[in-house]
Amino acid sequence: MLTKKRILLAEDEEHLLEAIKLNLELEGYKVSTANNGKKALQIFKEERFNLVILDVMMPEIDGFVVAETIRLENSEVPIMFLTAKNTNEDKISGLKKGADDYLTKPFNLEELILRVNNLVKRSLKGDDLKEFNSYKIGDKTIHFNSFELVNEDESITPLTKKETMLLKLLIERRNEAVSREQILETVWNYDVYPSTRTIDNFILTFRKYFEPDPKNPVYFHSIRGVGYKFTDNQH
């Protein structure tokens, strides 16, 4: 049986809240609503969602703080801001808080639905990876939950959280080039701005871990001017 995709919608303007909820439900989504930031956080802790849509200017706790709080607990769930705050500074601030998308009011309903569909689709790709919490590259196995790399001789190499997140992203998008921007957004959440050299160093580390010959990589590739690619034709 197919379960409905779940969306948390936080908006303090009642008419708008009901209108968006109705249209999302017509698209087949199950929508939980909150009219202030405090309630949104309570609901988020109780249920599991494929997308969170937040207004910024809400009573109790504003949307930016809600997004930051969610990101401390969950780096996976897509977050979209839907707000009248429309300056570039507002947008940058929203993205730095960990949002994946930022749509300003007044908005086009069709555009909102398209963006929602895209973000939910992305969240489901992540779910595919979560279903198997380990992934084998050559004779080594990554365990995402315990941040460990188990070698063929059963010895364990500990991984940092950032290493694990970057591996997860590249494996999730295997055989595709992933841009530096995407890596920055997903792994670093815009809280610090790593230089290209920082990401390069992670890729060099991965080559040491996994490549039979790190100087001639078969798994982890740098794509000049674009980003990076993990290639694996065994999966």
Side-chain angles (χ1 to χ4, degrees):
M1 184 180 146
L2 284 171
T3 54
K4 284 194 171 184
K5 309 300 173 279
R6 305 171 66 87
I7 294 175
L8 172 58
L9 172 64
E11 165 63 62
D12 67 328
E13 205 179 310
E14 198 178 331
H15 294 303
L16 189 55
L17 181 77
E18 289 304 320
I20 297 170
K21 180 175 188 272
L22 176 64
N23 280 283
L24 290 173
E25 285 174 344
L26 288 171
E27 289 291 311
Y29 294 110
K30 185 175 190 316
V31 184
S32 300
T33 59
N35 57 10
N36 66 63
K38 192 174 176 185
K39 191 177 173 194
L41 282 174
Q42 282 169 350
I43 295 171
F44 183 81
K45 284 181 174 136
E46 289 162 12
E47 299 175 45
R48 188 169 173 277
F49 294 97
N50 299 98
L51 174 64
V52 178
I53 302 175
L54 299 171
D55 185 17
V56 173
M57 295 177 284
M58 289 189 291
E60 305 275 352
I61 303 173
D62 76 41
F64 284 160
V65 175
V66 172
E68 275 187 307
T69 308
I70 286 173
R71 277 290 171 251
L72 289 174
E73 296 173 24
N74 187 317
S75 63
E76 307 282 347
V77 65
I79 296 174
M80 174 197 276
F81 281 117
L82 189 61
T83 174
K85 290 174 79 70
N86 60 3
T87 68
N88 282 336
E89 288 78 9
D90 290 326
K91 286 181 187 177
I92 289 165
S93 187
L95 293 169
K96 279 184 176 177
K97 305 292 183 199
D100 299 87
D101 205 350
Y102 194 106
L103 188 59
T104 55
K105 301 173 184 173
F107 57 88
N108 175 294
L109 185 61
E110 197 176 348
E111 183 184 358
L112 171 66
I113 298 294
L114 281 171
R115 289 184 183 218
V116 164
N117 291 343
N118 284 339
L119 287 170
V120 168
K121 215 179 284 175
R122 202 191 304 173
S123 88
L124 295 176
K125 259 193 179 181
D127 278 350
D128 290 343
L129 195 63
K130 278 184 229 118
E131 279 171 19
F132 56 98
N133 290 312
S134 61
Y135 190 94
K136 198 161 190 224
I137 301 176
D139 56 11
K140 300 183 179 188
T141 305
I142 306 157
H143 291 274
F144 295 110
N145 290 343
S146 57
F147 305 143
E148 287 175 338
L149 179 62
V150 179
N151 304 299
E152 193 180 23
D153 62 2
E154 300 293 309
S155 64
I156 290 172
T157 306
L159 298 169
T160 67
K161 190 177 181 188
K162 288 277 189 279
E163 282 176 338
T164 309
M165 287 172 75
L166 182 51
L167 281 168
K168 189 178 253 200
L169 174 65
L170 292 171
I171 291 167
E172 185 180 310
R173 301 274 299 275
R174 58 188 169 274
N175 304 322
E176 287 176 37
V178 183
S179 70
R180 291 186 184 89
E181 183 67 16
Q182 171 90 46
I183 290 169
L184 182 63
E185 184 181 324
T186 310
V187 178
W188 273 267
N189 271 339
Y190 288 93
D191 53 4
V192 291
Y193 286 79
S195 66
T196 300
R197 174 68 51 211
T198 308
I199 305 174
D200 279 344
N201 287 338
F202 274 76
I203 299 297
L204 289 172
T205 302
F206 295 162
R207 285 177 185 159
K208 279 185 208 151
Y209 288 160
F210 299 104
E211 302 284 3
D213 176 4
K215 292 203 169 93
N216 295 294
V218 291
Y219 297 116
F220 292 93
H221 309 275
S222 299
I223 313 292
R224 190 180 292 280
V226 180
Y228 306 87
K229 180 165 80 167
F230 168 68
T231 305
D232 186 3
N233 299 315
Q234 302 305 306
H235 285 262

